[in-house]
Amino acid sequence: MDKILEAVVMSSYPNNVKQGLVRRVIEASKQPMDSEQCWSMLELCTKLYLVGDTKYKREIGKEVLEVYGHYHPEEFEEFFNVRFLLSLLQEGYGPLGKRSHYVLDYIQLGLQFVLESPSANSIFSLLRIEVLRKVCERPGPKQCAKISKLLSQHPQCIPTGKHQVLFCQQLIRCIGQFQCVSEGEEDIMEFLEHVNKVSGLLQRIWRTQTSAILPSLKELFTIISSTEEQEAPSNALASVVQFVPLELMDGVIRNLTNDDSISDVQMMMAIGRMIDWVSWPLGKNIDKWIIALLKGLAAVKKFSILIEVTLSKIEKVFSKLLYPIVREGALSVLQYMLLSFQHSHEAFHLLLPHIPRLVASLKKEDSNSATSSLEQLAELIHCMFFRFSGFPDLYEPVLEAIKALPIPNEDRIKHLLGQNAWTSQKNELACFYPRLASKSETGKIGLINLGNTCYMNSIIQSLFMASDFRHSVLNLTEGNSQPLMTKLQWLFAFLEHSQRPAISPESFLSASWPPWFTPGAQQDCSEYLKYLLDRLHEEEKTGKRIYQKLKESSLMSQAVEHHYLNKTLIEKMFGGKMMTKIRCLKCLNVSSREEAFTDLSLAFPPPDRHIHGPGSASVLPVEEIGPQFIEPPENPNQVMGSPWVRRKPPVSGDLPAQPVPVETLGFQEAGEPSDPLSRDAVGAESTKDTILASGEQASAPKDSRSVPDLINYFLSPERLTAENKYHCEKCASLQDAEKVAELTEGPHYLILTLLRFSFDPRTMKRKKILDNVSIPVVLKLPVLVSSEENEAVWRHGKGRGGPGSSFVSVVYDLCSVVVHSGISSESGHYYCYSRECTDAVPHGQPRDGAPKPASDKQLDFAIQWYLFNDTRVSFSSFESVSNVTSFFPKDTAYVLFYRQRPGTQSCPLHEAAAEASHLHGEPSLNKDLMEAISKDNILYLQEQEKEARNRAAYISALPKSPLWWRDFDRDKDDDSSSGGCSPAAGGGGSGSFHGLVF
């Protein structure tokens, strides 16, 4: 019969004819026959099944074997013996070099017929040994899947005892070497099926023998932490982790992170490879294990590992959000990585270029998964905006991309940031501030945040960029007996000459710290600035002399020179004077008091007060003129009469008769009058309306506030009535009165503080006024000059009016804006925009008297703006300064620095100060300071060299990843296609799918 079957199978008959003949042979095989005939048929069928060259032959062999197993069990058991199976497993079947791949399938097929036979136990014992030997030979995924199928169907063949643990470990080793060599979708799906069968076997073993789990996991960690492997372990190892019971997670992670035998390099290698597992499409709970290990490392303060791994892997994790099949796990890992990385903006900023493209791709996908992920991503981004504010130029494209998505409230943001931080002790991360590779491309140097000290950093950078003040500080002599000023000199010198990307202001912070400030808490930068300037002023004033580098002009009278020499540096640079006058409305007597100031605090008008309204005529109305269209006036100092007409007749000792309008130079359209001061005044109301009308041509919205509005409100008359009545000495009683302030001496640097923080009696807290305030780049202020000063100005041809007490118009250029980001003075973040305003004198122009300024366009747009945000310094623009609140409503201008434009001084001593600032040139530092800077620069280079070596060791330990950015490039390329294989479409084109997993 075997000859007949063989002849039929080998014949050239059509398959349907063969099938009919085979049916007859099979039916005949069910009849009783002798043992020899059975053996012959079993040998033939074994040959057909194991080495048949077609699927048809193998199926016939299988079918006949099953018939003999059922109908001739004794002969089958005798044929299917231990010796035969051992030969099959060890030597194979078929000609040398073409051994059959179906041995395991054959054994699995035959086992079902010998389970109850006396030889079954011997066969099981043999298979327990042989499958262990097989996996030690590292078979590929297909053979491992066959072993798993065999053992899953016949668990009696699973190794037991120590051999079982060894078998699990060796099977994990096999999985670690699995590779899918084909990029065809069918091959990939087959590969994934094989991996699932193998990992499913491990799950089956672990369920019945939990003692094998921990040794298996130890082997897994050994594989992924190895630094000696030539090739990275397969991501298929992710399939193993998904079957580890979650209740074991805490113990496993605790043991790993506290094991002193595991080096940092090994741990970093392991967590890096685990993070790569987010691309495994069929895994469950993988994200939970990755996050648990990251948290475990944070618990034992392994911050170096966490930083390196996060920065090297976060972009790859982010790229996996493109793929719906792994999106949920990747997003969980991304959320933890970003929300825990709170000591620096580096990780978040790595993602900024990719966010708009990902958002566009998810919107295009338009699935429930994409919509949910978009909302979670937007929440995550807003958390990062909140934590790392002060980068408006970088954030604008991202904000534009997510503008239509929900914005979380501040409580939600604080909750997310609070529960995910690596540590609540910020000083534990102090040594990681900052992780900077090189100096900013701007050439400027940042300041390290020492724990909510951004308020100080912003003020220091603003003062440093005030070039006249900086030069004066750097020119101080060694023996000036001013310890705080000396520390400021050292800080400025390092900011000027250090090679570091950022320096620590720790020494200056401890010296300038207001005693009522709480360490580690956010503070009011305006309060700090006032305290600092007052300390510096008092230090010099009380006898600790400062070397005077500003040379006096020979035009000065002795009295003026004596007055100038008696001024401190703070008074010379930031000091101004203001006359406060109060007029009794009954007797019209005027009392006055002159006060010095270093800044003007500008309150916001009440909401019901309309600055531009016809009923709110200010004493000193303000307007804006566009700097790009301004031509230099013939005489910069214009002493003029005021367009303001009194409603009451003047009396002896009354307010000055001729105030000049305050102006700010904002933006105008071409063709508009560029000098509003030349307009004719026809009375209080008409003049005010005319001037303010041109101010409304600025780019600010009609209802928004502007700095001119706040100055108008500050300088406008204030009625003292009811509980605020004024005690008139002449009337000897409380009377209604009118109070007005006038500037009598304009500071060299004008500091304006916008009083944004007010006390809310309902909540008993200070709240922030978030109104957008437009900031003019050029500002004109009227300064009241005395008869003598007015005469001197007029005599030198700098005024249009004749001698007599009047106002002179002083022009200021914007040079710094300190921005507060947040909604409370006790929280948030400070950063500043600055530019270095200097006297723009054309090359070769002689300095006869005050220098002639360059054109306004030169002054206002040729000077580079910078953005200082703690350690980070970047190029910026006035456009960014103007628009920051429009894009980020909680980021509002708070403190403004203006520099008096040369040639517009109201007093000869200011002209002398300006001239001296030209003469001193670049400051020469004292010997000790130069040596300290030189030594620190050498030390920094040595630190860089050492860090580079250490970092190289860390980076070389990190697993090499595929080119993650191809995910984004591929997505971009797919934008124009309409196929369903792009990641955005949620399809699974073979190329993209292979790139995802492998």
Side-chain angles (χ1 to χ4, degrees):
M1 191 179 293
D2 59 302
K3 300 296 184 184
I4 297 173
L5 180 62
E6 186 174 11
V8 170
V9 171
M10 298 301 176
S11 70
S12 59
Y13 295 133
N15 279 350
N16 59 338
V17 176
K18 288 183 181 180
Q19 193 64 37
L21 296 173
V22 169
R23 287 285 122 213
R24 292 184 182 181
V25 172
I26 290 176
E27 288 302 321
S29 298
K30 295 179 181 178
Q31 304 304 317
M33 62 180 65
D34 59 54
S35 177
E36 185 178 348
Q37 184 62 45
C38 285
W39 269 74
S40 298
M41 286 295 290
L42 287 171
E43 285 179 345
L44 174 61
C45 294
T46 299
K47 178 181 177 183
L48 288 174
Y49 187 87
L50 290 177
V51 295
D53 54 1
T54 65
K55 185 178 180 182
Y56 176 71
K57 292 178 181 178
R58 290 196 298 274
E59 287 178 349
I60 291 175
K62 177 184 176 184
E63 194 172 357
V64 176
L65 280 171
E66 287 175 338
V67 169
Y68 276 83
H70 278 295
Y71 292 96
H72 306 282
E74 293 180 3
E75 286 79 4
F76 189 90
E77 181 183 340
E78 187 180 350
F79 178 82
F80 200 78
N81 58 66
V82 172
R83 182 176 296 179
F84 175 60
L85 295 182
L86 181 62
S87 173
L88 282 179
L89 289 167
Q90 291 190 354
E91 299 173 14
Y93 189 93
L96 193 64
K98 290 187 179 180
R99 297 300 190 190
S100 174
H101 299 294
Y102 301 100
V103 169
L104 291 171
D105 307 83
Y106 176 82
I107 293 174
Q108 182 181 340
L109 175 66
L111 271 179
Q112 60 184 310
F113 304 113
V114 297
L115 294 178
E116 304 299 329
S117 70
S119 63
N121 287 333
S122 300
I123 293 175
F124 295 153
S125 298
L126 169 70
L127 290 176
R128 283 195 287 267
I129 296 172
E130 284 302 306
V131 293
L132 177 57
R133 183 184 62 79
K134 279 284 185 183
V135 296
C136 290
E137 293 174 353
R138 304 286 182 268
K142 193 170 185 177
Q143 288 299 306
C144 280
K146 289 182 177 182
I147 293 173
S148 300
K149 185 179 178 182
L150 170 65
L151 298 185
S152 297
Q153 190 170 341
H154 303 288
Q156 308 96 317
C157 303
I158 297 174
T160 57
K162 293 182 179 179
H163 286 170
Q164 187 177 79
V165 172
L166 181 59
F167 175 78
C168 292
Q169 292 175 326
Q170 294 302 316
L171 198 57
I172 290 172
R173 286 271 175 190
C174 291
I175 297 174
Q177 293 186 358
F178 285 178
Q179 299 296 335
C180 183
V181 294
S182 172
E183 294 192 6
E185 188 168 343
E186 289 185 5
D187 294 330
I188 292 173
M189 296 309 295
E190 184 183 50
F191 174 79
L192 294 175
E193 186 181 350
H194 292 157
V195 173
N196 269 354
K197 285 182 180 177
V198 178
S199 57
L201 174 63
L202 285 171
Q203 181 191 25
R204 183 187 184 101
I205 295 173
W206 290 345
R207 278 179 181 171
T208 58
Q209 198 69 34
T210 55
S211 60
I213 297 177
L214 292 181
S216 300
L217 289 182
K218 186 174 182 180
E219 189 70 18
L220 173 65
F221 186 82
T222 302
I223 295 169
I224 62 175
S225 64
S226 172
T227 59
E228 299 174 358
E229 299 290 338
Q230 294 297 316
E231 291 187 10
S234 171
N235 280 350
L237 287 170
S239 64
V240 175
V241 176
Q242 65 182 328
F243 295 124
V244 179
L246 292 180
E247 56 266 24
L248 295 179
M249 182 183 289
D250 289 343
V252 169
I253 297 300
R254 189 165 54 251
N255 288 340
L256 279 178
T257 53
N258 288 281
D259 189 341
D260 293 335
S261 67
I262 300 173
S263 69
D264 285 359
V265 172
Q266 289 175 315
M267 184 62 77
M268 187 162 60
M269 182 70 79
I271 186 62
R273 285 171 171 162
M274 284 183 69
I275 290 173
D276 288 342
W277 293 351
V278 296
S279 62
W280 185 253
L282 302 175
K284 298 176 183 177
N285 299 328
I286 295 171
D287 55 324
K288 294 182 176 65
W289 280 95
I290 294 171
I291 293 170
L293 184 52
L294 290 172
K295 287 182 176 179
L297 291 172
V300 294
K301 298 179 174 49
K302 297 282 189 178
F303 300 127
S304 295
I305 297 175
L306 290 168
I307 289 171
E308 291 294 344
V309 168
T310 301
L311 294 177
S312 64
K313 293 294 182 180
I314 195 165
E315 289 173 283
K316 183 177 181 182
V317 173
F318 182 81
S319 72
K320 299 309 170 189
L321 298 182
L322 289 167
Y323 304 95
I325 197 169
V326 297
R327 184 176 292 151
E328 184 180 353
L331 186 56
S332 295
V333 175
L334 179 73
Q335 285 174 323
Y336 179 76
M337 291 175 88
L338 274 183
L339 291 172
S340 62
F341 201 93
Q342 293 187 31
H343 73 288
S344 165
H345 55 258
E346 289 175 278
F348 178 52
H349 284 193
L350 286 174
L351 305 181
L352 293 179
H354 313 304
I355 291 175
R357 271 192 286 172
L358 176 69
V359 170
S361 178
L362 292 177
K363 287 180 178 177
K364 180 180 175 183
E365 182 182 318
D366 193 26
S367 66
N368 290 337
S369 167
T371 302
S372 173
S373 297
L374 272 174
E375 292 178 356
Q376 292 180 68
L377 184 63
E379 181 178 71
L380 186 58
I381 291 169
H382 282 292
C383 287
M384 295 297 99
F385 284 168
F386 181 88
R387 179 64 186 87
F388 304 115
S389 55
F391 301 94
D393 297 352
L394 289 176
Y395 293 169
E396 282 179 18
V398 176
L399 192 66
E400 181 67 23
I402 64 170
K403 64 182 179 183
L405 297 169
I407 301 174
N409 60 44
E410 188 165 336
D411 289 340
R412 170 67 176 165
I413 290 174
K414 289 180 177 177
H415 170 72
L416 289 172
L417 291 172
Q419 71 177 8
N420 288 288
W422 284 338
T423 173
S424 59
Q425 304 299 318
K426 293 182 179 177
N427 60 338
E428 291 182 344
L429 286 165
C431 60
F432 300 106
Y433 296 118
R435 201 184 81 87
L436 295 170
S438 60
K439 198 171 180 178
S440 165
E441 61 180 355
T442 64
K444 303 296 181 183
I445 296 173
L447 289 169
I448 295 172
N449 191 315
L450 301 172
N452 280 328
T453 58
C454 53
Y455 67 90
M456 177 190 72
N457 291 350
S458 299
I459 292 300
I460 289 175
Q461 294 285 19
S462 297
L463 293 174
F464 178 79
M465 293 297 284
S467 53
D468 299 333
F469 177 65
R470 179 178 76 244
H471 281 107
S472 298
V473 171
L474 291 176
N475 272 290
L476 295 177
T477 55
E478 293 182 66
N480 59 68
S481 301
Q482 298 176 73
L484 185 58
M485 186 66 83
T486 301
K487 285 187 179 292
L488 183 62
Q489 180 189 43
W490 277 62
L491 184 56
F492 278 6
F494 273 82
L495 284 173
E496 183 94 11
H497 299 289
S498 178
Q499 293 298 314
R500 294 181 182 273
I503 59 174
S504 171
E506 186 173 5
S507 176
F508 188 77
L509 173 66
S510 59
S512 63
W513 184 277
W516 61 90
F517 276 16
T518 304
Q522 185 61 278
Q523 305 294 343
D524 188 328
C525 76
S526 172
E527 187 178 2
Y528 174 77
L529 174 61
K530 288 182 176 72
Y531 176 79
L532 175 62
L533 295 182
D534 186 60
R535 277 276 308 276
L536 293 170
H537 166 70
E538 291 297 328
E539 191 176 76
E540 181 180 356
K541 184 181 174 183
T542 52
K544 297 169 183 173
R545 297 176 304 131
I546 187 173
Y547 178 71
Q548 183 54 257
K549 294 293 288 183
L550 301 176
K551 298 181 180 179
E552 278 57 74
S553 168
S554 59
L555 297 174
M556 283 187 179
S557 65
Q558 282 191 341
V560 172
E561 184 175 355
H562 178 72
H563 172 68
Y564 178 66
L565 286 172
N566 283 336
K567 281 196 165 192
T568 66
L569 178 59
I570 299 304
E571 287 177 307
K572 294 169 193 171
M573 290 294 164
F574 304 102
K577 289 185 179 177
M578 182 188 303
M579 183 76 74
T580 303
K581 299 183 178 182
I582 301 177
R583 177 170 59 186
C584 174
L585 295 181
K586 182 179 181 182
C587 68
L588 301 183
N589 180 58
V590 175
S591 64
S592 59
R593 182 178 79 253
E594 189 174 54
E595 296 176 303
F597 68 87
T598 54
D599 80 312
L600 297 181
S601 298
L602 305 180
F604 282 71
D608 56 348
R609 171 163 179 149
H610 300 287
I611 299 263
H612 302 312
S616 59
S618 66
V619 176
L620 304 168
V622 175
E623 63 180 326
E624 300 187 3
I625 303 173
Q628 64 269 49
F629 301 115
I630 299 174
E631 294 300 327
E634 295 176 10
N635 295 306
N637 290 327
Q638 299 171 357
V639 180
M640 298 185 61
S642 170
W644 177 53
V645 179
R646 288 181 190 287
R647 295 176 214 140
K648 291 186 180 290
V651 294
S652 176
D654 202 348
L655 300 173
Q658 296 184 345
V660 75
V662 176
E663 305 169 46
T664 62
L665 312 183
F667 294 98
Q668 274 187 336
E669 299 298 328
E672 292 293 322
S674 62
D675 189 359
L677 292 181
S678 64
R679 297 176 184 171
D680 295 330
V682 292
E685 300 303 326
S686 63
T687 301
K688 176 181 65 62
D689 292 342
T690 302
I691 294 173
L692 292 179
S694 67
E696 289 178 358
Q697 293 170 1
S699 59
K702 183 176 180 181
D703 296 330
S704 71
R705 305 289 188 188
S706 67
V707 171
D709 293 338
L710 303 190
I711 296 176
N712 270 335
Y713 182 59
F714 179 81
L715 296 176
S716 63
E718 177 187 358
R719 282 294 182 101
L720 305 177
T721 59
E723 295 180 357
N724 292 325
K725 281 188 176 183
Y726 166 68
H727 186 273
C728 177
E729 293 182 1
K730 192 171 182 180
C731 298
S733 61
L734 292 173
Q735 297 293 337
D736 288 350
E738 190 174 60
K739 176 182 175 183
V740 70
E742 296 169 339
L743 301 178
T744 56
E745 186 178 314
H748 189 60
Y749 283 99
L750 173 66
I751 300 175
L752 303 176
T753 300
L754 311 188
L755 297 178
R756 290 192 173 274
F757 302 110
S758 60
F759 184 76
D760 188 347
R762 292 179 303 170
T763 61
M764 301 300 288
K765 292 181 179 180
R766 291 177 74 193
K767 66 177 183 179
K768 181 179 177 182
I769 300 171
L770 293 170
D771 295 5
N772 193 1
V773 176
S774 60
I775 304 168
V777 73
V778 184
L779 177 72
K780 271 191 179 180
L781 286 180
V783 177
L784 181 67
V785 295
S786 64
S787 302
E788 295 81 6
E789 291 172 335
N790 183 26
E791 186 177 353
V793 172
W794 177 74
R795 193 184 321 120
H796 284 81
K798 299 193 179 187
R800 292 182 181 176
S805 181
S806 187
F807 285 83
V808 63
S809 183
V810 181
V811 180
Y812 283 90
D813 294 299
L814 181 67
C815 53
S816 286
V817 179
V818 178
V819 177
H820 178 263
S821 175
I823 59 171
S824 166
S825 61
E826 289 81 26
S827 63
H829 180 63
Y830 289 99
Y831 57 94
C832 75
Y833 293 93
S834 287
R835 61 174 182 165
E836 196 162 347
C837 291
T838 55
D839 299 345
V841 182
H843 180 69
Q845 177 181 319
R847 293 192 177 96
D848 49 345
K852 180 181 178 181
S855 71
D856 294 297
K857 186 170 183 179
Q858 258 187 296
L859 283 173
D860 299 325
F861 293 101
I863 303 175
Q864 176 66 55
W865 282 91
Y866 301 95
L867 175 56
F868 294 89
N869 187 359
D870 290 334
T871 57
R872 185 179 185 272
V873 187
S874 58
F875 290 115
S876 191
S877 65
F878 181 66
E879 183 182 11
S880 179
V881 180
S882 304
N883 296 334
V884 63
T885 308
S886 302
F887 281 99
F888 303 92
K890 295 177 184 176
D891 291 28
T892 52
Y894 183 39
V895 179
L896 313 177
F897 287 72
Y898 282 88
R899 180 182 184 271
Q900 193 175 116
R901 186 172 290 185
T904 65
Q905 303 288 351
S906 61
C907 176
L909 67 89
H910 283 290
E911 295 184 0
E915 179 67 13
S917 70
H918 284 288
L919 298 178
H920 63 235
E922 282 299 315
S924 57
L925 304 179
N926 65 63
K927 183 180 178 183
D928 289 346
L929 187 47
M930 285 299 294
E931 286 182 359
I933 293 171
S934 178
K935 287 180 180 178
D936 185 69
N937 285 340
I938 293 171
L939 177 62
Y940 170 67
L941 293 175
Q942 293 171 343
E943 290 172 357
Q944 286 291 91
E945 185 179 352
K946 182 179 179 181
E947 182 183 347
R949 285 198 301 267
N950 294 340
R951 185 166 164 74
Y954 265 77
I955 294 302
S956 63
L958 285 171
K960 302 297 185 293
S961 300
L963 300 178
W964 54 264
W965 58 82
R966 285 181 181 166
D967 293 323
F968 290 106
D969 293 340
R970 184 183 303 114
D971 181 52
K972 184 171 66 174
D973 295 340
D974 287 343
D975 283 347
S976 59
S977 68
S978 58
C981 293
S982 70
S990 61
S992 65
F993 193 81
H994 187 274
L996 160 70
V997 182
F998 314 108

